[in-house]
Amino acid sequence: MITSKHRRLIILLISALFGLLSSLSLPAWSNSQSNQALQLAQQGQQSYNAGNFDQAIQLWQAAAKAYQQAGDQEGMNKSLINQSQALQELGLYPKACKTLLQVFAVDNPTCHPAQIDKFLTTISQQRNSLSLTQATALRSLGEVLRKQGLLEASQKVLQLSLIALEKSPQSGAVLLSLGNTERTLGNQIRDRWDYE
C-alpha cells in the first residue's frame, strides 16, 4: 500500500516529468515553425523570380504569419518587405505602403499623408536604433512613396534610411533611390514652370 508521503513523491516526480517533456517539445514546435516559414519564403522567392507575383505575395504572407507564430520578428519583417516588392511589381503601391508600415508595427496603416508625417516623427527619434532590415524597409517605403507622388515624404524616408545604412553596401541603392526622388521633384518643378 502506498502511503500519502510516497503518493506525494510520485505525483511530484510525474509532474516534473510532464514539465520536462512539455519544455522539450515547445522548442521543437518552434523550430518546425521556423523551418516551415523558411520554406514558404524560399518558395515565394522562386515564384517572384518566375514572375508569379500573386503567388509570391500569398507565399510571403504565409511565411510572415509562420515567422510571427515562431516569434521570429526579423524573418517576419523580411517576408513583409518581400511581399511589398511583389505588390509594387503589380502596381499596388498603397497596399505595398501599408505592408511596409507593418514592419514598424504601425497600427491600422493607411499611408495617408498625415499618418506618414506622424510615422516620420516617430521613426526619426529611433533612427539610431534601426535594424538593417528596418532600414531596408525604409528604402523600399521611400520608393513606394515616390511612386505615389508623395515626394517630400519619400525624400525624408530615404534620408533616414541612408543614415541607418551609412556603412552598409546597401547605401548605394538608397542613394540611387534618393537621386530618383530628387529628379522627380526637379521634373515636377520644371513642369510647373513650363505650364505657367
Side-chain angles (χ1 to χ4, degrees), residues 140-161:
S140 190
L141 180 60
E143 292 174 5
V144 168
L145 292 172
R146 181 183 69 243
K147 292 172 184 173
Q148 288 184 290
L150 300 170
L151 301 178
E152 289 82 11
S154 170
Q155 188 178 41
K156 291 175 186 175
V157 168
L158 290 169
Q159 287 170 344
L160 285 171
S161 178

Side-chain angles (χ1 to χ4, degrees), residues 86-176:
L87 289 165
Q88 288 178 61
E89 291 291 337
L90 295 172
L92 301 173
Y93 301 116
K95 197 167 184 180
C97 182
K98 292 174 188 177
T99 301
L100 288 166
L101 288 178
Q102 290 176 24
V103 171
F104 301 96
V106 173
D107 292 330
N108 301 320
T110 61
C111 290
H112 189 272
Q115 187 179 50
I116 296 296
D117 288 340
K118 184 179 176 185
F119 168 74
L120 282 168
T121 302
T122 303
I123 205 72
S124 293
Q125 296 167 353
Q126 302 170 0
R127 68 176 172 250
N128 295 329
S129 63
L130 293 174
S131 70
L132 183 62
T133 302
Q134 288 175 320
T136 302
L138 282 176
R139 178 179 59 85
S140 190
L141 180 60
E143 292 174 5
V144 168
L145 292 172
R146 181 183 69 243
K147 292 172 184 173
Q148 288 184 290
L150 300 170
L151 301 178
E152 289 82 11
S154 170
Q155 188 178 41
K156 291 175 186 175
V157 168
L158 290 169
Q159 287 170 344
L160 285 171
S161 178
L162 186 59
I163 290 168
L165 291 171
E166 189 175 358
K167 295 185 179 15
S168 168
Q170 292 185 30
S171 63
V174 177
L175 287 169
L176 180 62

Side-chain angles (χ1 to χ4, degrees), residues 9-112:
L9 183 60
I10 291 172
I11 291 173
L12 179 69
L13 288 174
I14 291 173
S15 297
L17 183 61
F18 280 126
L20 180 63
L21 288 175
S22 66
S23 70
L24 291 176
S25 65
L26 184 61
W29 178 81
S30 178
N31 194 24
S32 71
Q33 283 290 105
S34 294
N35 288 339
Q36 178 189 10
L38 181 60
Q39 288 176 343
L40 288 166
Q42 289 171 341
Q43 290 171 359
Q45 189 63 51
Q46 290 170 351
S47 294
Y48 180 86
N49 292 341
N52 299 327
F53 303 122
D54 288 322
Q55 184 179 14
I57 291 166
Q58 291 172 358
L59 288 165
W60 279 324
Q61 283 174 337
K65 186 175 181 179
Y67 278 125
Q68 183 179 27
Q69 290 173 347
D72 185 348
Q73 186 70 33
E74 194 74 10
M76 184 184 86
N77 288 344
K78 288 178 182 179
S79 292
L80 289 170
I81 293 168
N82 289 337
Q83 184 182 334
S84 79
Q85 291 297 328
L87 289 165
Q88 288 178 61
E89 291 291 337
L90 295 172
L92 301 173
Y93 301 116
K95 197 167 184 180
C97 182
K98 292 174 188 177
T99 301
L100 288 166
L101 288 178
Q102 290 176 24
V103 171
F104 301 96
V106 173
D107 292 330
N108 301 320
T110 61
C111 290
H112 189 272

